[in-house]
Amino acid sequence: MKSVYKVVLAVLAVAGFFFAVQPAVAHHSGAEFMDQVKEITGTIKEFQFKNPHTWIQVVVENPKGEKEEWSVEWGAPNSLARQGYRPSTFPAGAKVVMRIHPMRSGAPAGGFVAAKFPDGKTVGKWE
Amino acid sequence: MIANKTQRCLALGAGLLLVAVLSYGQKPALPEFNKLPDWSGVWQMMGGTVFDRATQTGQGGSTTHGVRIHPPYNAEWEAIYQKNLALRDQDRLPDVITNCGVPVGFPRIMNLPDVYEFVIRPEEFWILTENGPNVMRVYTDGRAVLAPEERWGTYTGDSAGHWEGDTLVFQTVALKGSRDGDSILDRTGAVLSDAAQATTRMRRINDTTIESQMVIEDAKAFTKPWTVTKQFRRLPTGTRVYDYGCAENNRNPVDAATGRTLTLGPDGKPLEDREKD
């Protein structure tokens, strides 16, 4: 039984590795994003779970107290679905802290790194 | 005695004629379906999308500055590749698949992210890629590839082959290559000419791996044949392939004027030029 458990673990590890190496932006290069990580805090407006890439729209209050909509690009819905994510992963109205690779242009957008909800639940590589 | 001989000759001749008539237009016998290899399931290309990792120099992926591959280009085509590499380094090498709707073509179809299905029938073999989606057909019913006078260049070309035991061997001709500026091998900017053709050998090398070895010849661009090997890993049983409507919500079209990949905001306007306060 123990060896079966080990085999299952090994299979899951291998499968996990190959899912993990899926490029986040297979459809285009991703050169528009910086390597550095920025944190934004806001409210989910919409999770566009569509091809060729998913987008999370987050409403953030900027330093002037104005509401600003950020566009956060994530992986293809298909590869995310194979990892267990669904349109319900980012429900509209939920508060969220999000880590992103910001755009080089300074536009309110970025590439998704991780997210944390108020209840401590995380998505992506938070730690 | 002579009459008997004549009768035997006539009978033999009639028999040969009958065989000739019956076999006229008949295709060679197809392999039996249950004797063909099992490549069912869902597969994923191993490694990144640098087309030929065996000749890669530089560390990183296909869009990383300094990364390139080394097809056996002649001086003219090495210069073309150098130009593409320079554009890549300026983030201005357009990848037409970013605009959706353009096939990746062969041999890039062996170099895609997301997942694959390989469908085997006695008369035909199909490569189905989720990304794109793309389809490549390889006839295995005994026909030859199109004759030179019947060819015109297309993204995926014309392919025909046969089974050698568990190995599928096929030839691909009639490729358009980079002639129209809308076909690359990877995002380093490596390209082929419209004279390219290839012989591919595909086989399942173990329970979880299919290997595709392509010997690519290009009379215009290469000084010698180029061998590139790609491998595909079988994903767990039950893995699904999903719909891929590339144009469904493409917020990253290529700007034809600059070659830049744009990022569109929720209003459909490019975000790049907006300066953040």
Side-chain angles (χ1 to χ4, degrees), chain A residues 73-96:
Chain A
E73 185 171 21
W74 200 14
N78 299 358
S79 57
L80 292 178
R82 281 189 285 273
Q83 297 171 67
Y85 299 110
R86 292 292 182 270
S88 57
T89 299
F90 287 109
K95 305 283 184 196
V96 70

Side-chain angles (χ1 to χ4, degrees), chain A residues 15 18-19 22-23 25-29 31-32 38 48 50-53 55 57 62 64 66 68-71 73 76 78-79 81-82 86 103-109, chain B residues 44 46 63 91 97-100 113-115 130-131 187 233 235-236 239-246 248-252 261 263-266 271-272 274-277:
Chain A
F18 284 104
F19 282 129
Q22 275 274 23
V25 280
H27 170 256
H28 61 94
S29 75
E32 64 273 32
K38 176 186 175 69
Q48 298 176 351
K50 297 177 178 178
N51 279 300
H53 286 281
W55 288 84
Q57 300 301 126
N62 68 21
K64 293 178 182 172
E66 300 162 338
E68 187 173 51
E69 184 171 344
W70 282 67
S71 300
E73 185 171 21
N78 299 358
S79 57
R82 281 189 285 273
R86 292 292 182 270
M103 280 191 73
R104 295 180 191 281
S105 67
Chain B
Q44 185 167 45
M46 296 166 70
T63 57
D91 302 326
I97 69 165
T98 304
N99 271 339
C100 302
D114 302 320
V115 295
E130 182 184 70
N131 188 290
R187 288 179 179 155
R233 174 79 65 180
L235 296 180
T239 299
R240 283 183 190 273
V241 181
Y242 295 100
D243 178 82
Y244 187 100
C246 181
E248 182 183 26
N249 188 36
N250 183 15
R251 291 176 61 176
N252 298 101
T261 300
T263 303
L264 305 183
L271 287 168
E272 273 81 358
R274 295 184 198 177
E275 289 301 323
K276 195 169 183 310
D277 294 333

Side-chain angles (χ1 to χ4, degrees), chain B residues 114-180:
Chain B
D114 302 320
V115 295
Y116 285 75
E117 292 168 286
F118 301 110
V119 185
I120 297 171
R121 287 276 312 160
E123 71 279 10
E124 196 166 340
F125 169 71
W126 293 265
I127 299 173
L128 310 177
T129 73
E130 182 184 70
N131 188 290
N134 289 274
V135 179
M136 179 167 176
R137 297 175 179 82
V138 178
Y139 295 111
T140 53
D141 59 355
R143 77 181 76 182
V145 291
L146 288 169
E149 65 276 14
E150 295 176 334
R151 297 175 190 170
W152 69 94
T154 61
Y155 296 95
T156 314
D158 180 68
S159 298
H162 62 277
W163 290 93
E164 293 179 1
D166 284 347
T167 302
L168 174 64
V169 183
F170 64 91
Q171 190 185 8
T172 303
V173 299
L175 294 167
K176 66 186 283 182
S178 61
R179 183 187 64 200
D180 299 328

Side-chain angles (χ1 to χ4, degrees), chain B residues 11-31:
Chain B
L12 182 64
L16 287 172
L17 186 63
L18 184 64
V19 168
V21 167
L22 288 175
S23 60
Y24 179 76
Q26 298 287 310
K27 292 174 183 171
L30 293 173

